[in-house]
Amino acid sequence: MDYLNGKLYLICAFSLAGTSVISARFVMGKLGTFTITAVSLFFALVFLVSLCGKQLVRYIPSMSFRTFLFLSLQALCGIFLFRMFLLSGLYYTSAGEAGILTGATPAITAFLAMVVLREPVSRRKLAGILCTVGGILIIQGILTPGNGLSLEHLGGNILVLCAAACESAFNTLSRISAVKAAADLKESSSPIAQTTIVTAIALILCLIPAMLEHPLQELSGIGLMEWAALLWYGVFVTALAFICWYSGIKRCGAFTAAAFSGMMPFTALLLSTVVLGESADYQQWLGGFLVIAGMILIGTEGRDAASPLSRNRKSRGKEQVKE
């Protein structure tokens, strides 16, 4: 049941994250990259502090320096660098294509799980990784003869792929942190408190570059739709998505997280056609299908190695039996 709940948390997390490309489209060209990030993080932080103020006061004193360091790295990779690359890439490519290109995240995360976390890889998982890579190549148009893709468009897609790599690094760091926290019985992890701290650190990182974009002048010129997009970006894409993420990653392994991160490009592709009215040709849909197929192959092979949470509970149960 714990493992199933973890999967549901991950589906919610990446589905909400997939709406980031759409909400960002409403403010692109009207606000600077770091202004968008800083304002949305401010909304997220206000929401989170009102949600878990007392819990945060209890969690911070018990937090070790190692945990703080890992959360700082997660804020750098998962929010600051991810949004910097994604928002910069959206200036040169479409929201639908950018959303699908974030589908590189499962393959990169699976690769890091093998290299960094030493998680075993089976033929099915390897096939899932190859499906994801093939989908990215088809979306990019590399396999299409006579592709007339401009260098500017290619540069935008490369920036989006850099965002996917940052997301994968965040996923791996979160998994390492979850395992270490579960191994240390003295330190309990709180998804809401973790999300609040990561959001606060990322906001601090964004403040200086945001001030260079003259944010007050830009913010005074936007309308209700843009403010609503920023609020959505903060509360749903950041706060709720990260709470679901931290709740899921402590119950599931890195390969499961890699698989369900494919929900991000799938959600972005659907919403870009429905909400923004962007057209997707057969090549994009074929690439998207391969990305989803890779997600299914990686995620349906069977349960990962026992989650740190379940292992922790089992070890406690054995200790109680011995006593």
Side-chain angles (χ1 to χ4, degrees), residues 252-284:
C252 299
F255 273 112
T256 300
F260 285 102
S261 62
M263 285 301 300
M264 187 161 60
F266 183 69
T267 303
L269 176 62
L270 289 178
L271 292 179
S272 65
T273 56
V274 174
V275 178
L276 300 179
E278 293 184 355
S279 60
D281 58 24
Y282 76 94
Q283 184 170 277
Q284 289 180 313

Coordinates of all heavy atoms in Angstrom, one line a residue, residues 252-284:
C252 N 9.3 5.2 -3.1 CA 9.6 4.6 -4.4 C 11.1 4.8 -4.7 O 11.7 5.7 -4.3 CB 8.7 5.1 -5.5 SG 7.0 4.9 -5.3
G253 N 11.6 3.8 -5.6 CA 12.9 3.9 -6.0 C 13.1 4.9 -7.1 O 12.2 5.5 -7.7
A254 N 14.4 5.1 -7.5 CA 14.7 6.1 -8.6 C 14.2 5.7 -9.9 O 13.8 6.6 -10.7 CB 16.2 6.3 -8.6
F255 N 14.1 4.4 -10.2 CA 13.6 4.0 -11.5 C 12.1 4.3 -11.7 O 11.6 4.7 -12.7 CB 13.9 2.5 -11.8 CG 15.2 2.3 -12.4 CD1 16.2 1.6 -11.7 CD2 15.5 2.7 -13.7 CE1 17.5 1.4 -12.2 CE2 16.7 2.4 -14.3 CZ 17.7 1.8 -13.5
T256 N 11.4 4.1 -10.6 CA 9.9 4.4 -10.6 C 9.7 5.9 -10.8 O 8.9 6.3 -11.5 CB 9.3 3.9 -9.3 OG1 9.4 2.5 -9.1 CG2 7.8 4.3 -9.3
A257 N 10.5 6.7 -10.1 CA 10.5 8.1 -10.2 C 10.8 8.5 -11.6 O 10.2 9.4 -12.2 CB 11.4 8.8 -9.2
A258 N 11.8 7.9 -12.2 CA 12.2 8.2 -13.6 C 11.0 7.9 -14.6 O 10.7 8.7 -15.5 CB 13.4 7.3 -14.0
A259 N 10.4 6.8 -14.3 CA 9.2 6.4 -15.2 C 8.1 7.4 -15.1 O 7.6 7.9 -16.2 CB 8.7 5.0 -14.8
F260 N 7.7 7.8 -13.9 CA 6.5 8.6 -13.8 C 6.9 10.1 -14.1 O 5.9 10.9 -14.3 CB 5.9 8.5 -12.4 CG 5.1 7.3 -12.2 CD1 5.7 6.2 -11.6 CD2 3.9 7.1 -12.8 CE1 5.0 5.0 -11.4 CE2 3.2 5.9 -12.7 CZ 3.7 4.9 -12.0
S261 N 8.1 10.5 -14.2 CA 8.5 11.8 -14.7 C 8.0 12.0 -16.1 O 8.0 13.2 -16.6 CB 10.0 12.1 -14.5 OG 10.7 11.2 -15.3
G262 N 7.7 10.9 -16.8 CA 7.2 11.1 -18.2 C 5.8 11.7 -18.2 O 5.3 12.1 -19.3
M263 N 5.1 11.8 -17.1 CA 3.8 12.4 -17.0 C 4.0 13.9 -17.3 O 3.0 14.6 -17.7 CB 3.2 12.2 -15.6 CG 2.6 10.9 -15.4 SD 1.3 10.4 -16.5 CE 0.1 11.7 -16.2
M264 N 5.2 14.5 -17.0 CA 5.4 15.9 -17.2 C 5.3 16.3 -18.7 O 4.5 17.2 -19.0 CB 6.7 16.3 -16.6 CG 7.0 17.8 -16.6 SD 8.3 18.3 -15.5 CE 9.7 17.5 -16.1
P265 N 6.0 15.7 -19.6 CA 5.8 16.0 -21.0 C 4.5 15.7 -21.6 O 3.9 16.4 -22.5 CB 7.0 15.3 -21.7 CG 7.3 14.1 -20.8 CD 7.1 14.7 -19.5
F266 N 3.9 14.6 -21.1 CA 2.6 14.1 -21.6 C 1.5 15.2 -21.3 O 0.7 15.6 -22.1 CB 2.2 12.8 -21.0 CG 0.9 12.2 -21.5 CD1 0.8 11.8 -22.8 CD2 -0.2 12.1 -20.7 CE1 -0.4 11.3 -23.3 CE2 -1.4 11.6 -21.1 CZ -1.5 11.2 -22.4
T267 N 1.5 15.6 -20.0 CA 0.6 16.7 -19.6 C 0.8 18.0 -20.4 O -0.1 18.6 -20.8 CB 0.8 17.0 -18.1 OG1 0.6 15.7 -17.3 CG2 -0.2 18.0 -17.6
A268 N 2.1 18.3 -20.6 CA 2.4 19.6 -21.3 C 1.9 19.5 -22.7 O 1.4 20.5 -23.3 CB 3.9 19.9 -21.2
L269 N 2.1 18.4 -23.4 CA 1.7 18.2 -24.8 C 0.2 18.4 -24.9 O -0.4 19.1 -25.8 CB 2.1 16.9 -25.3 CG 1.6 16.6 -26.7 CD1 2.2 17.6 -27.7 CD2 2.0 15.2 -27.1
L270 N -0.6 17.7 -24.0 CA -2.1 17.8 -24.1 C -2.6 19.2 -23.8 O -3.4 19.7 -24.5 CB -2.6 16.8 -23.0 CG -2.5 15.3 -23.3 CD1 -3.1 14.5 -22.2 CD2 -3.2 15.0 -24.6
L271 N -2.0 19.8 -22.8 CA -2.5 21.2 -22.4 C -2.1 22.2 -23.5 O -2.8 23.2 -23.7 CB -1.9 21.6 -21.0 CG -2.5 20.8 -19.9 CD1 -1.9 21.3 -18.6 CD2 -4.0 20.9 -19.8
S272 N -0.9 22.0 -24.1 CA -0.5 23.0 -25.1 C -1.4 23.0 -26.3 O -1.7 24.0 -26.9 CB 0.9 22.7 -25.6 OG 1.0 21.5 -26.2
T273 N -2.0 21.8 -26.6 CA -2.9 21.8 -27.7 C -4.3 22.2 -27.3 O -5.0 22.9 -28.1 CB -3.0 20.3 -28.3 OG1 -3.4 19.4 -27.2 CG2 -1.7 19.9 -28.9
V274 N -4.7 21.9 -26.1 CA -6.1 22.2 -25.6 C -6.2 23.7 -25.2 O -7.1 24.4 -25.6 CB -6.5 21.3 -24.5 CG1 -7.9 21.7 -23.9 CG2 -6.6 19.9 -25.0
V275 N -5.2 24.1 -24.4 CA -5.3 25.5 -23.8 C -4.7 26.5 -24.7 O -5.3 27.6 -24.9 CB -4.6 25.5 -22.4 CG1 -4.6 26.9 -21.8 CG2 -5.2 24.5 -21.4
L276 N -3.5 26.3 -25.2 CA -2.9 27.3 -26.0 C -3.2 27.2 -27.5 O -2.9 28.1 -28.3 CB -1.3 27.2 -25.9 CG -0.8 27.3 -24.4 CD1 0.7 27.2 -24.4 CD2 -1.2 28.7 -23.9
G277 N -3.9 26.1 -27.9 CA -4.3 25.9 -29.3 C -3.1 25.7 -30.3 O -3.2 25.9 -31.5
E278 N -2.0 25.2 -29.7 CA -0.8 24.9 -30.6 C -1.1 23.6 -31.3 O -1.7 22.7 -30.8 CB 0.5 24.8 -29.7 CG 0.9 26.1 -29.1 CD 2.2 26.0 -28.4 OE1 2.7 24.8 -28.3 OE2 2.7 27.0 -28.0
S279 N -0.6 23.5 -32.5 CA -0.8 22.3 -33.3 C 0.4 21.3 -33.1 O 1.6 21.8 -33.1 CB -0.9 22.6 -34.8 OG 0.2 23.3 -35.3
A280 N 0.2 20.1 -33.1 CA 1.2 19.1 -33.0 C 1.1 18.1 -34.1 O 0.1 17.5 -34.4 CB 1.1 18.3 -31.6
D281 N 2.2 18.0 -34.9 CA 2.1 17.1 -36.1 C 2.4 15.6 -35.7 O 2.6 15.3 -34.5 CB 3.2 17.5 -37.2 CG 4.6 17.6 -36.6 OD1 4.9 16.9 -35.6 OD2 5.4 18.3 -37.2
Y282 N 2.3 14.8 -36.7 CA 2.5 13.3 -36.4 C 3.8 13.0 -35.8 O 3.9 12.1 -35.0 CB 2.3 12.5 -37.7 CG 3.5 12.6 -38.6 CD1 4.4 11.5 -38.6 CD2 3.7 13.6 -39.5 CE1 5.6 11.6 -39.4 CE2 4.8 13.6 -40.3 CZ 5.7 12.6 -40.3 OH 6.8 12.6 -41.1
Q283 N 4.9 13.8 -36.1 CA 6.2 13.5 -35.6 C 6.2 13.7 -34.1 O 6.8 13.0 -33.4 CB 7.2 14.4 -36.3 CG 8.7 14.1 -35.9 CD 9.6 14.8 -36.8 OE1 10.0 14.3 -37.9 NE2 10.1 15.9 -36.4
Q284 N 5.6 14.8 -33.7 CA 5.6 15.1 -32.2 C 4.8 14.1 -31.5 O 5.2 13.7 -30.4 CB 5.0 16.5 -32.0 CG 6.0 17.7 -32.4 CD 5.4 19.0 -32.2 OE1 4.3 19.3 -32.5 NE2 6.2 19.9 -31.6

